[in-house]
Each structure stands twice: as structure tokens, then as C-alpha cells.
């Protein structure tokens, strides 16, 4: 218990109060807090309802509403009664936006008196025939603003035909209609030509934007005050706050956006706009003339400069930049300042079942822990969702509460454990204050805090795009020079007196199938000439066991550069940049910024331990509709000079289910995974039979594929040899498994390199060498492996 308390960070002053609530399972948060909706009902927040709560004065239990292993998530949502409904409500994705097109007709008929200037026909299932039937231009000839968001409009010709009849239109919203998913810029150009006064199109400013668009964003114009055909002399005089974020503005300098028109402007948000048609210097000069401007929101780096300090030095009148005090920024010298970020809100369609909506939204709410006992740490993380009160805690960089997971074990054993989260105030809070927590408690910029926040917020795209571009420019600039070919340096270990080589192994198949008289087994590793083990042998192990530098070991020093996925990616990137045989790969510990800013699931998965992220091969070559990969066996005698061989026997590993990219199938192991040795039903396919049927199905020659695979494998090991000369050891010999997939163009893709691979199939099934036609007996597998590595034979293997 003491260890759990210390790990949780709970102040000692709260221990007795916590124990009392744990022992009685007291959930009394409802007496102190209230959950309110915000963000138009798409998010919730937690508000203090008691008069006052001092720092570290109270502790609260938060129940876990849903606890699961990731692979079981969808199944539980579909099978546990009421779970999907509760989670959908908690995550604010339970509202269906269905209506009836008749409602649109009713609205049109009722308001069609010719004087309406603002019309909203949103989420009404209006399709193309209905739009024509409504005849809106005849009923509303003086319309200034029209919103048809979230309908079923698809036909470009029908839409442009109707919209261009509105000659006074200033604002048009067609967002979330199918037509926008398939049409090009032609529709936009046609509408802009037919509606020359249009200033806002699909939430973006047009090149015509002026006082009406600025007034709309400044809160002057809306349904109750739509404006008129000709604006008044000074319509923007009263604007003090102007949010122009994500309006796709390329050029802000025009007659309407000026300090003369908006002398009282004190807050301006320019985030998310390219502003690529004007220099940052010109825009800064313009902003200087807004003498009342005190608060500015802008992407950093971005059109105004590369750093927050640079912008503040150009605009000395600013008090706040991106919600942070200017003096604080100047004192700290911070470059990127983004304290006020727009939250990511769940997206869904009316057709999606609640279970799918929850799966998509859950990454905004999930928390995680791993279980451990005295023997080991559970390899599979536990994910959980806090109850409605806990899940309403929103993020703050300067939080007033802290949350920590806690396992209560009333009997002192893991079997009796009950999981809770513990909540306590870290600052003094007053009635009506929002209660929040730091989603990334203890994680600073050294661990990519800004990039990780992208799981919950829309972080500045400009910054990530630049980092991504720099990353790929660096990779693409790399060229690799293969090491010169050298004569082999290894020799057979066979003794002149004919005595056998003693082998120590902890690998049962080696002990069973290595039957050559040149090798005998010993149970004492100190007596062995050859150590063939599945465990890592480092200097500490050598010392503890009593091994010497003269004994041969089936591993090379520093081979982690090949067999650990994040090191393999680094090896390939440093040597080859981004070769076509290696999918785009990111080490999330170091390259999260270069990866992306919108994949919440990937970012959150970092919390369960070191991860790499690799682009999924979404269009693989299939065998009779099923996904497959191929296991090759590579034998390495030396890294310098490089002596590697490819075993003539390789085998295909097939998924059990037909391949699908349907979202539901992503949780099906037997659809997307091919290794069935340990899970699922193993359906072995003899390699020659597979090759013949594959060639026939796809009309390709396997020899062409095989040559590409050989070149790829050679390149991988050359990379390690050049970048890591410390791998070379005269007493190292090793066997590696190299797993390969083919894409739909039959190009090989490297999946991973495995140390001491499982070769059960090679020892179990006789096969025929694909190109020589020679029969390879399964029982001889380790005989020719050891013959190649230690006797310098080339039987059933091919030099690379």
C-alpha cells in the first residue's frame, strides 16, 4: 500500500481521508461538483459547486466506468448491455442529427415572403430533387446568407444552377454535403462567378471578402441582424474582438481590414490561415497601426514570424500572445507559445452505430495502467474510462486538480484489487471555477509535450508541416554506398584431429534436429565450443556463466540495430533515407512531431511504452483474397567482410480470414495478422504449391519477386555493417528471421528482423527448393544451418 500511495503522488495529509473513503467506497463528488455541457453539447466540463475548496484539502474517489484490453474493446461495446449507450453519452456522441425533408419545405413555405435575408436549412436531409422543388431563389430573392450544411446534395450542376440565381448572396455554407467530397474547384469557381458579392463560401473567406465577412466573424451580422445590400458607413466601428481562425485567408490586407474601420479592435485570432500572398513584414506593419490591439492568436512558426519573441518585439503593445502573458514569454525566451488550443471534438455520422462512434471518440477520454506482481509486468496494458465526473475534467497547462490511478487491495493481494482514480485539488478553487487537470502531467518539451497535445487539441499545423518537410527532405537527400566486396575471412571450425565441436543450447529444436557427427551436445556452457541460445548474452552474462571470448556465440554485438524495430528504422533511415522497400516509420519517442498532428490513437498509445509507428500496407498483395507474409532465414558468418546467406527454404504465413479494410475487421486478429503459431488456427501452405498458385493467380514470375527480396535483404545487412562496424566479431555466427510482405505491385516491404527465429515449420515440413527443384528434408534444417555457419558449407543456402 505504501508503494502505491507513493507512486500516486497523493499528499500524505490526505492518506487518512483516502483510506476512510476507500474502505467505505464513498463516492461523494456529486456534493461538490457539477457536470456542465460546453462546445455546443459536444463536450462536458466539471464545475465546483461548493463555496470554496482549499489546496490539498479534499480527496475524492472516481469510479472506472469501463475497463478493458484494447483488443476486446469493440466486442465489449457490442455485447455488454448498456455499455455502448453509457459511453456514447459520456463522450457526447449519442445525438442523432436526423430530420425530414418535409421540414425544409415547411420552413421555405412559411418564410417565403421575399423579405428574408438569412436562411438556415441545416441537417434536413435535403437532396438534389428537393432543392429544385423548394425553388429558394424565387421565394427568397434578397437572400444574403444561406446555410445548407449537413444535407444530401450531390449534383454539381443542380447546385450551381440554383445558387447562382442569388445575386445578393454574401454567405453560403454547403459544408458536410456529399458533393464536396467528389467535386473539384470548378463548382466553387462557377458559384463565385455567378455570385459576385459572395464573401464567405463554406466557412472560408473568398477573395472578395470585406466588411460583411469581417462583421460576421466580429459578431455584428447574424440571423437577427443579417445586414443589407449596401453597408452603413461604419459597420465595424464597434468590433472589439475578431476571430478569423481557419478561414483560409491568403491575403488579409484590404480596404475593410484596417485600423480606421476597426479602431476598437483589441483581440484578433489569425490561427490556421495560410496568409501566403503577403509578407509577414507587411502584415506586422499593418497590425502595428491597430493601436488598441492587446491580444493576438497566431500560428508559431507562421506568417508573422518563426518565434513568439520575434512577434512580440515587432508588436510591443501586445499584452497576450496565444493566451500567454507577453512579459512571461519575453522572460522565458519561448519560441512556440500555444496555451489556448481548440479542442478536438468527436466526429460521427448518423449511420454509424454507437459502438463505432465510441471507438472513434474514446482516445479523447482513455487512461491506462499496467499490472505487475513480484514476478513480471503484464505485457498488455489495461485501458479505462473514468466515470462521468472524472471524464468531465478538461485539460489545462496550469491545472487546479490532479488525478491518479490507484489499485486498492483490501486483502493485500492483486486478486482482491479494485481500481479507482483519485482526485484532489492542487490549487485553491472557488465556487463556479472550472476544475481541470494536466493530461500530460510530468511530460515536458523534452518528451515532445506540444506534439502529444495533438491527441486532444488542434495544435498549430504550420509547425508540424515544417518539421515533417524537414524530416523527409533529410531522408530523401541520403544516398548509400555499398561496401566494397572482399574475400571471405571465415574458415571452417572443423578440427584437424576430427574431434566433434561441443554445442550448448537451450533451443529444443536444435537439440532434436542437429544430428551431424561433427557436433555433440554438452550441458555445461563453459565446456562448449558453440553457444546457441535464445537469450541475450552480454558481458555480465559471460562473466556470471564463465564464458570466454574464444567460444562462438549465435549473436553479434550491437545486433539491436537490426532486431529492435526502432533501431532497425534508425539504421535504414541513416543508410538509405526512405527506400521503397521500407514503409514510412517514426519512432514516437523522437519523431512524433514529424509524424502528424491528428492521430489521437497513435499518440495515446505511447503511454503504454516505447512505440514506433509505421504506415500500414493498406493494399497488400493477396493470396486467394487473404493477407500473407513470408519468413526468410538469413545466416551471417561475418559482418566485415559481409558474409551472408539466404536459406533455400522459406515459408508463407497466411491470415485465416479474407482481407478487409472495414473498420470492424481491424479488431480481428485472423484478418490482419498472419502468424498463427501462437494464436488462431494454423493452416500451413507448402511453399512450392503457394508459389505456383500465386504466379497463376497474379500472372507474375516469382523469380522476379525473389530477386527484389534478395537485393532488399542484402541492403539491410549492408546498412548495419557500414553504420555499426562494432558489430563485427570473429567468434559470432547468427541466424535471423527476415519477415517480408508484398504490396499490390509485388514490391517487397521489410517488416522486421528477428533474432533466433522460430523455425518450427522448417523442421516440420519437407519441401522443394523453388529454383533448383531439390527436395529439402525438414529434419536436415539445423544440419545445413550449422554446416553453413561453422563448417563453411553452402548446402541448401545461397550467398547474398
Amino acid at each position: 500500500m505504501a508503494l502505491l500511495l507513493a507512486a500516486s503522488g497523493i499528499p500524505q495529509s490526505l492518506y487518512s481521508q483516502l483510506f476512510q473513503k476507500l474502505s467505505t467506497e464513498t463516492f461523494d463528488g456529486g456534493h461538490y461538483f457539477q457536470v456542465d455541457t460546453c462546445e455546443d453539447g459536444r463536450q462536458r466540463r466539471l464545475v465546483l459547486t461548493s463555496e470554496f475548496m482549499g489546496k490539498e484539502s479534499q480527496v475524492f474517489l472516481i469510479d472506472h466506468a469501463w475497463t478493458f484490453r484494447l483488443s476486446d474493446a469493440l466486442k465489449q461495446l457490442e455485447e455488454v448491455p448498456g455499455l455502448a449507450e453509457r459511453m456514447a453519452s459520456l463522450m457526447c456522441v449519442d445525438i442523432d442529427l436526423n430530420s425530414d425533408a418535409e421540414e425544409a419545405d415547411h420552413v421555405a413555405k412559411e418564410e417565403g415572403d421575399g423579405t428574408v435575408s438569412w436562411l438556415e436549412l441545416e441537417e434536413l436531409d435535403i437532396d438534389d430533387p428537393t432543392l429544385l422543388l423548394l425553388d429558394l431563389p424565387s421565394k427568397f430573392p434578397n437572400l444574403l446568407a444561406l446555410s445548407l450544411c449537413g444535407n444530401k446534395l450531390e449534383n454539381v450542376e443542380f447546385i450551381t444552377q440554383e445558387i447562382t440565381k442569388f445575386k445578393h448572396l454574401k454567405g453560403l455554407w454547403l459544408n458536410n454535403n456529399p458533393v464536396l467530397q467528389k467535386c473539384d474547384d470548378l463548382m466553387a469557381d462557377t458559384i463565385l462567378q455567378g455570385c459576385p458579392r459572395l464573401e464567405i463560401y463554406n466557412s472560408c473567406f473568398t477573395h472578395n471578402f470585406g466588411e460583411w465577412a469581417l462583421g460576421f466573424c466580429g459578431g455584428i451580422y447574424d440571423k437577427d441582424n443579417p445586414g443589407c445590400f449596401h453597408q452603413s458607413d461604419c459597420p465595424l466601428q464597434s468590433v472589439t474582438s475578431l476571430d478569423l481562425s481557419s478561414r483560409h485567408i491568403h491575403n488579409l490586407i484590404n480596404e475593410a481590414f484596417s485600423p480606421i474601420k476597426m479602431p476598437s479592435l483589441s483581440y484578433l485570432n489569425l490561427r490556421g490561415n495560410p496568409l501566403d500572398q503577403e509578407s509577414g513584414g507587411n502584415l506586422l506593419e499593418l497590425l502595428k497601426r491597430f493601436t488598441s490591439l492587446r491580444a493576438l492568436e497566431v500560428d508559431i512558426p507562421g506568417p508573422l514570424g518563426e518565434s513568439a519573441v520575434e512577434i512580440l518585439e515587432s508588436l510591443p503593445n501586445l499584452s497576450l500572445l496565444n493566451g500567454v502573458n507577453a512579459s512571461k514569454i519575453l522572460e522565458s525566451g519561448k519560441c512556440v507559445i500555444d496555451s489556448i488550443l481548440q479542442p478536438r471534438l468527436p466526429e460521427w455520422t448518423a449511420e454509424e452505430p454507437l459502438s463505432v462512434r465510441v471507438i472513434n471518440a474514446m482516445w479523447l477520454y482513455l487512461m491506462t495502467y499496467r499490472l505487475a506482481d513480484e514476478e513480471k509486468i503484464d505485457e498488455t496494458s489495461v485501458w479505462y474510462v473514468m466515470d462521468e465526473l472524472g471524464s468531465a475534467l478538461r485539460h489545462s497547462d496550469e491545472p487546479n486538480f490532479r488525478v491518479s490511478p490507484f489499485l486498492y487491495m483490501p486483502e493485500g493481494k492483486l486478486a482482491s484489487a479494485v481500481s479507482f482514480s483519485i482526485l484532489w485539488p492542487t490549487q485553491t478553487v472557488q465556487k463556479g471555477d472550472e476544475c481541470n487537470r494536466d493530461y500530460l502531467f510530468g511530460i515536458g518539451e523534452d518528451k515532445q509535450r506540444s506534439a502529444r497535445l495533438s491527441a486532444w487539441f488542434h495544435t498549430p499545423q504550420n509547425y508540424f508541416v515544417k518539421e515533417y518537410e524537414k524530416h523527409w527532405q533529410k531522408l530523401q537527400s541520403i544516398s548509400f554506398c555499398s561496401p566494397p566486396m572482399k574475400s571471405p575471412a571465415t574458415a571452417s571450425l572443423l578440427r584437424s584431429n576430427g574431434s566433434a565441436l561441443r554445442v550448448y543450447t537451450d533451443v529444443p529444436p536444435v537439440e532434436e534436429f542437429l544430428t551431424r557427427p561433427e557436433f555433440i551436445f554438452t550441458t555445461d556452457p563453459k565446456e562448449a565450443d558453440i553457444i546457441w541460445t535464445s537469450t541475450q548474452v552480454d558481458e555480465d552474462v559471460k562473466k556470471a556463466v564463465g564464458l570466454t571470448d574464444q567460444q562462438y556465440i549465435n549473436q553479434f554485438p550491437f545486433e539491436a540495430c537490426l532486431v529492435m524495430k526502432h533501431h532497425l528504422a534508425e539504421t535504414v533511415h541513416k543508410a538509405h533515407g526512405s527506400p521503397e522497400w521500407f514503409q514510412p516509420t517514426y519512432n514516437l519517442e523522437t519523431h512524433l512531431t514529424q509524424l502528424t498532428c491528428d492521430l489521437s490513437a497513435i499518440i495515446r498509445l505511447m503511454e503504454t511504452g516505447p512505440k514506433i509507428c509505421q504506415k500500414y500496407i493498406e493494399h497488400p498483395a493477396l493470396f486467394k483474397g487473404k493477407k500473407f507474409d513470408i519468413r526468410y532465414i538469413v545466416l551471417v558468418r561475418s559482418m566485415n567482410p559481409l558474409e551472408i546467406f539466404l536459406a533455400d527454404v522459406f515459408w508463407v504465413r497466411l491470415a485465416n480470414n479474407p482481407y478487409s479494410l472495414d473498420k470492424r475487421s481491424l479488431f480481428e486478429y485472423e484478418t490482419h495478422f498472419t502468424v498463427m503459431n501462437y494464436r488462431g488456427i494454423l493452416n500451413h501452405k507448402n511453399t512450392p504449391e503457394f508459389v505456383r498458385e500465386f504466379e497463376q493467380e497474379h500472372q507474375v514470375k516469382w523469380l522476379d519477386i525473389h530477386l527484389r527480396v534478395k537485393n532488399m535483404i542484402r541492403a539491410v545487412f549492408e546498412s548495419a555493417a557500414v553504420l555499426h562496424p562494432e558489430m563485427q566479431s570473429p567468434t559470432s555466427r547468427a541466424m535471423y528471421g527476415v519477415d517480408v510482405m508484398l504490396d499490390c505491385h509485388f514490391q517487397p516491404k521489410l517488416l522486421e528482423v528477428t533474432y533466433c527465429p522460430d523455425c518450427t515449420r522448417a523442421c516440420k515440413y519437407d519441401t522443394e527448393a523453388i529454383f533448383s527443384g531439390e527436395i529439402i528434408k525438414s529434419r536436415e534444417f539445423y544440419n545445413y544451418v550449422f554446416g553453413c555457419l561453422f563448417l563453411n558449407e553452402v548446402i541448401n543456402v545461397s550467398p547474398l
Side-chain angles (χ1 to χ4, degrees), residues 151-168:
N151 286 295
K152 298 182 177 180
L153 302 176
E154 298 186 61
N155 189 292
V156 172
E157 184 179 348
F158 285 177
I159 295 168
T160 54
Q161 170 188 316
E162 291 300 291
I163 296 301
T164 53
K165 294 176 183 177
F166 295 103
K167 299 304 179 185
H168 304 294

Side-chain angles (χ1 to χ4, degrees), residues 370-440:
R370 295 172 75 179
L371 296 173
D373 55 25
E374 295 178 353
E375 296 182 359
K376 66 174 184 177
I377 296 178
D378 195 333
E379 293 183 0
T380 306
S381 297
V382 176
W383 293 89
Y384 65 95
V385 177
M386 293 188 290
D387 63 18
E388 285 74 3
L389 186 147
S391 292
L393 284 159
R394 298 199 298 174
H395 170 79
S396 174
D397 285 338
E398 298 178 352
N400 48 25
F401 279 81
R402 184 175 165 190
V403 170
S404 182
F406 189 83
L407 279 181
Y408 177 51
M409 295 184 288
E411 298 176 9
K413 298 179 180 178
L414 193 60
S416 66
V418 182
S419 64
F420 301 101
S421 286
I422 310 300
L423 172 70
W424 71 95
T426 56
Q427 304 291 336
T428 296
V429 192
Q430 306 289 338
K431 183 177 182 178
D433 287 349
E434 180 174 352
C435 306
N436 43 50
R437 66 182 179 93
D438 186 350
Y439 288 173
L440 295 172

Side-chain angles (χ1 to χ4, degrees), residues 685-698:
K685 186 74 174 179
N686 193 275
T687 304
E689 183 183 357
F690 164 79
V691 169
R692 287 192 293 270
E693 293 180 14
F694 187 87
E695 288 183 326
Q696 184 176 6
E697 178 181 356
H698 295 286

Side-chain angles (χ1 to χ4, degrees), residues 6 62 173 182 251 295 340 439 489 531 542 565 650-651 706 718 733 800:
I62 294 176
W173 291 268
K182 58 185 179 181
N251 190 340
I340 299 180
Y439 288 173
I531 307 291
K542 282 186 176 182
K565 290 185 179 181
F650 60 91
W651 56 93
H706 189 67
E718 282 182 343
R733 304 285 190 273
L800 286 180

Side-chain angles (χ1 to χ4, degrees), residues 346-585:
E347 300 288 343
W348 72 93
T349 64
E351 292 76 22
E352 288 179 331
L354 290 183
S355 58
V356 174
R357 298 185 197 182
V358 170
I359 290 293
N360 292 337
M362 68 183 185
W363 299 104
L364 301 173
Y365 295 90
L366 291 184
M367 299 178 72
T368 186
Y369 60 80
R370 295 172 75 179
L371 296 173
D373 55 25
E374 295 178 353
E375 296 182 359
K376 66 174 184 177
I377 296 178
D378 195 333
E379 293 183 0
T380 306
S381 297
V382 176
W383 293 89
Y384 65 95
V385 177
M386 293 188 290
D387 63 18
E388 285 74 3
L389 186 147
S391 292
L393 284 159
R394 298 199 298 174
H395 170 79
S396 174
D397 285 338
E398 298 178 352
N400 48 25
F401 279 81
R402 184 175 165 190
V403 170
S404 182
F406 189 83
L407 279 181
Y408 177 51
M409 295 184 288
E411 298 176 9
K413 298 179 180 178
L414 193 60
S416 66
V418 182
S419 64
F420 301 101
S421 286
I422 310 300
L423 172 70
W424 71 95
T426 56
Q427 304 291 336
T428 296
V429 192
Q430 306 289 338
K431 183 177 182 178
D433 287 349
E434 180 174 352
C435 306
N436 43 50
R437 66 182 179 93
D438 186 350
Y439 288 173
L440 295 172
F441 179 79
I443 296 176
E445 286 304 327
D446 59 323
K447 296 182 179 178
Q448 306 184 94
R449 179 182 177 88
S450 293
R452 290 189 181 207
L453 282 173
S454 301
W456 299 277
F457 297 96
H458 293 281
T459 47
Q461 187 177 17
N462 243 7
Y463 173 70
F464 294 102
V465 168
K466 287 187 177 181
E467 290 298 311
Y468 171 84
E469 290 174 346
K470 285 193 294 185
H471 175 70
W472 282 102
Q473 286 170 5
K474 179 180 177 181
L475 292 181
Q476 291 167 2
S477 68
I478 293 172
S479 59
F480 182 75
C481 294
S482 297
M485 299 294 291
K486 298 180 182 178
S487 300
T490 56
S492 171
L493 304 189
L494 199 61
R495 296 189 176 100
S496 57
N497 63 7
S499 61
L501 296 165
R502 289 165 297 184
V503 177
Y504 170 82
T505 185
D506 58 5
V507 181
V510 174
E511 196 167 9
E512 180 180 358
F513 295 107
L514 180 59
T515 57
R516 294 183 60 154
E518 294 92 338
F519 304 95
I520 60 173
F521 292 102
T522 177
T523 57
D524 186 351
K526 293 192 295 294
E527 295 181 352
D529 299 301
I530 299 169
I531 307 291
W532 192 278
T533 177
S534 59
T535 59
Q536 182 67 38
V537 179
D538 55 22
E539 292 304 317
D540 291 337
V541 171
K542 282 186 176 182
K543 185 176 180 180
V545 178
L547 303 182
T548 69
D549 291 339
Q550 284 68 49
Q551 292 174 290
Y552 286 79
I553 300 178
N554 66 326
Q555 54 195 242
F556 281 84
F558 302 98
E559 64 184 12
C561 70
L562 289 170
V563 300
M564 295 185 72
K565 290 185 179 181
H566 61 298
H567 290 316
L568 173 63
E570 183 179 24
T571 298
V572 172
H573 286 159
K574 283 185 176 180
H576 297 279
S578 181
E580 64 177 357
W581 43 263
F582 197 67
Q583 289 290 91
T585 304

Side-chain angles (χ1 to χ4, degrees), residues 154-210:
E154 298 186 61
N155 189 292
V156 172
E157 184 179 348
F158 285 177
I159 295 168
T160 54
Q161 170 188 316
E162 291 300 291
I163 296 301
T164 53
K165 294 176 183 177
F166 295 103
K167 299 304 179 185
H168 304 294
L169 203 61
K170 291 184 177 293
L172 173 64
W173 291 268
L174 297 171
N175 311 57
N176 301 322
N177 276 281
V179 68
L180 298 182
Q181 299 174 5
K182 58 185 179 181
C183 74
D184 53 18
D185 294 334
L186 179 61
M187 184 174 75
D189 292 340
T190 304
I191 288 175
L192 288 173
Q193 290 174 9
C195 303
R197 298 185 181 184
L198 197 64
E199 297 188 27
I200 296 178
Y201 174 68
N202 293 344
S203 302
C204 298
F205 279 21
T206 73
H207 63 275
N208 304 332
F209 86 88

Side-chain angles (χ1 to χ4, degrees), residues 70-88:
L70 201 55
S71 59
D72 299 327
L74 185 60
K75 183 179 180 181
Q76 287 188 14
L77 288 169
E78 292 177 338
E79 296 181 359
V80 177
L83 178 62
E85 289 76 10
R86 183 181 181 186
M87 290 299 104

